[in-house]
Amino acid sequence: MLRSLVGSEMCIRDRYQRRVRGSSTLAMARWWLVLTMVQLVVGTHYRFGTISHRLGSAVGEVEFTIKLAYRRSFSSAWVVSPIGDTVSSSGRWKLGDGTSVSNPPLVVTAVSSDNDWVFMEGTHTHTYADTSVDYFPEFESCCRISQLLNNPDANYITRAKVSFPLRGNESPVSSGLPILEILQGSVGTFQIPFTDTDSDPVTITEADPINTLGSSVPDAYPSWISVDTTGTVSYDTTAAAVGLWNYAVQISDPYSYIHLDFLIQISQVVAYCECAEASTTLCSSATDCSACTTLDPTCAPNIAPTIVSPSPATGSTLTISQGSLATLDFYATDANPYDLSLIHI
C-alpha cells in the first residue's frame, strides 16, 4: 500500500540496491518510476528547486509554494530535524518588487539519511502593489556542488514568472526527486512531472541559464539530453561521462512559468555472475565466476527492476483529497533471474 502523505517513499531494490523513491506533495503525486536514487557526494549544498504560485482573493495577492532540496549535513539543524519540523532554508527569497526574505522557514517533507539530502517545502503569501506589470520572483544563493560535471560551484536560482490576468491564474506545478540515476551507455526517456489546475496549455523547454545560473553560460546543459514541448526528456548516455550533471527545464502556461532544477547521476554499469552460487559476485568476465557449478557460467550486467502493469503508469498523476488515504498496488520484475526485488514504503 502506498499512502499519499508528505514524506512517504517507495523503494524497489535488487542485489545492487537500485532504488526508486518519490514523495507526494499536497494533492499531487507523480512518480518518476523509470529512474533511481543514488548516493550523494559531499560538497556544497544545493540539489533541487521549483517554485509555483496561485493568485489570491485580494487584488495583487499571490500565494507561492517553494520546494527545495539540499545536502542534509550542510546544517546541523537539518540533520536532527524529522519530517514535519520547520527549519530555516538557505538563500534569499526575492519577490521581484524590491522586497526579499533571507532563509525563509520551510517544512521538512522528506529526508534521506543514506543519501544525505533533505527536501523542504513551504508557502509564502505576498501582495504586489501594481498588477499591471509582470514579476519574476526567485530564490537564489550559492552554491551548486563542486563535483558537478557542468556548472560546478555556480550560483543557483529558482525563478518564476507572475502575471495578473483578469480571469485569475495558477501556475503549473511540478515536483520530483533531487537526483535521478541513468546508466552509462543507455538510451531512453522519462517524463517531467507537472500539472496545471486551470487546464491551461503547458509548454516545456530547456531552461535559460540566465534564470537558473544568473548568466548566459555556453553549454550549460549536457549535449546528451534534451526535452520536447510535452515534457518528454530523451537521453543517450553512450558518450556521457560518469558523474553528476545539472539539468533544468521551464514549464510555462500562457500567463506564467516555473522552473524544475535537478541533478542526474550517470552511473557505470556493473555485472554479476549469473548463477545461484555466486549471484552477488562482481565480475568483468565469465572467468571471474569460477564458483558457479554450471557448465558455462555467465557474467551478466545488472539490470534494475522494472515496474509493470497493473502498477500506476509511468508519468501518471494521482489526485487525492486532503485527509484521505489511497491504496495502490505496485508490481515489478527483474531481468536478472537470481535477483530478489523488494517493493516497500
Side-chain angles (χ1 to χ4, degrees), residues 16 95 299 305 318 324:
Y16 188 44
L95 279 303
C299 178
L318 172 67
S324 64

Side-chain angles (χ1 to χ4, degrees), residues 11-320:
C11 298
I12 302 177
R13 303 186 181 186
D14 65 6
R15 65 185 173 204
Y16 188 44
Q17 297 297 293
R18 297 190 179 279
R19 305 179 183 182
V20 176
R21 290 191 175 186
S23 65
S24 60
T25 56
L26 302 179
M28 184 190 78
R30 184 182 291 266
W31 306 101
W32 292 8
L33 300 178
V34 295
L35 301 171
T36 54
M37 293 306 301
V38 297
Q39 182 68 32
L40 296 184
V41 295
V42 175
T44 38
H45 58 297
Y46 182 75
R47 300 290 187 261
F48 171 97
T50 185
I51 298 173
S52 57
H53 67 273
R54 63 180 181 179
L55 302 186
S57 56
V59 175
E61 183 181 73
V62 180
E63 181 182 284
F64 294 95
T65 298
I66 303 171
K67 302 176 185 178
L68 301 169
Y70 300 101
R71 176 167 59 88
R72 193 183 186 199
S73 59
F74 178 78
S75 166
S76 59
W78 297 348
V79 171
V80 299
S81 297
I83 292 172
D85 269 17
T86 298
V87 296
S88 293
S89 58
S90 177
R92 181 170 290 275
W93 172 222
K94 299 179 178 180
L95 279 303
D97 62 353
T99 60
S100 64
V101 180
S102 294
N103 307 325
L106 300 174
V107 177
V108 175
T109 56
V111 298
S112 173
S113 298
D114 292 342
N115 297 305
D116 192 23
W117 56 255
V118 56
F119 198 103
M120 54 185 72
E121 307 178 38
T123 59
H124 179 87
T125 300
H126 182 72
T127 301
Y128 292 93
D130 185 357
T131 60
S132 66
V133 298
D134 297 336
Y135 296 92
F136 299 90
E138 62 184 38
F139 198 101
E140 61 88 20
S141 188
C142 186
C143 299
R144 297 177 184 272
I145 64 175
S146 303
Q147 293 84 352
L148 283 176
L149 296 176
N150 63 323
N151 310 322
D153 298 313
N155 290 338
Y156 61 85
I157 300 174
T158 303
R159 184 170 289 166
K161 176 186 176 182
V162 177
S163 60
F164 297 89
L166 293 177
R167 48 142 253 184
N169 186 58
E170 294 191 22
S171 74
V173 177
S174 187
S175 194
L177 301 174
I179 300 182
L180 306 177
E181 182 187 29
I182 302 175
L183 291 178
Q184 188 182 46
S186 62
V187 178
T189 63
F190 62 88
Q191 181 66 36
I192 295 294
F194 70 90
T195 188
D196 191 295
T197 57
D198 299 320
S199 299
D200 289 329
V202 173
T203 301
I204 299 180
T205 57
E206 201 165 74
D208 186 333
I210 290 178
N211 290 329
T212 59
L213 302 171
S215 59
S216 184
V217 179
D219 303 321
Y221 306 118
S223 60
W224 48 262
I225 193 169
S226 61
V227 64
D228 67 19
T229 57
T230 69
T232 298
V233 178
S234 301
Y235 59 86
D236 181 350
T237 62
T238 302
V242 170
L244 280 166
W245 298 82
N246 168 231
Y247 195 59
V249 298
Q250 179 172 298
I251 307 171
S252 307
D253 68 15
Y255 309 101
S256 61
Y257 65 65
I258 67 169
H259 289 105
L260 183 67
D261 193 329
F262 57 96
L263 302 184
I264 296 174
Q265 170 77 46
I266 301 298
S267 297
Q268 192 169 23
V269 177
V270 296
Y272 292 87
C273 295
E274 200 84 306
C275 68
E277 299 86 356
S279 63
T280 60
T281 300
L282 286 167
C283 58
S284 57
S285 68
T287 57
D288 297 324
C289 303
S290 58
C292 295
T293 59
T294 54
L295 183 61
D296 295 308
T298 301
C299 178
N302 187 68
I303 300 174
T306 301
I307 295 178
V308 296
S309 179
S311 303
T314 300
S316 59
T317 301
L318 172 67
T319 301
I320 303 170

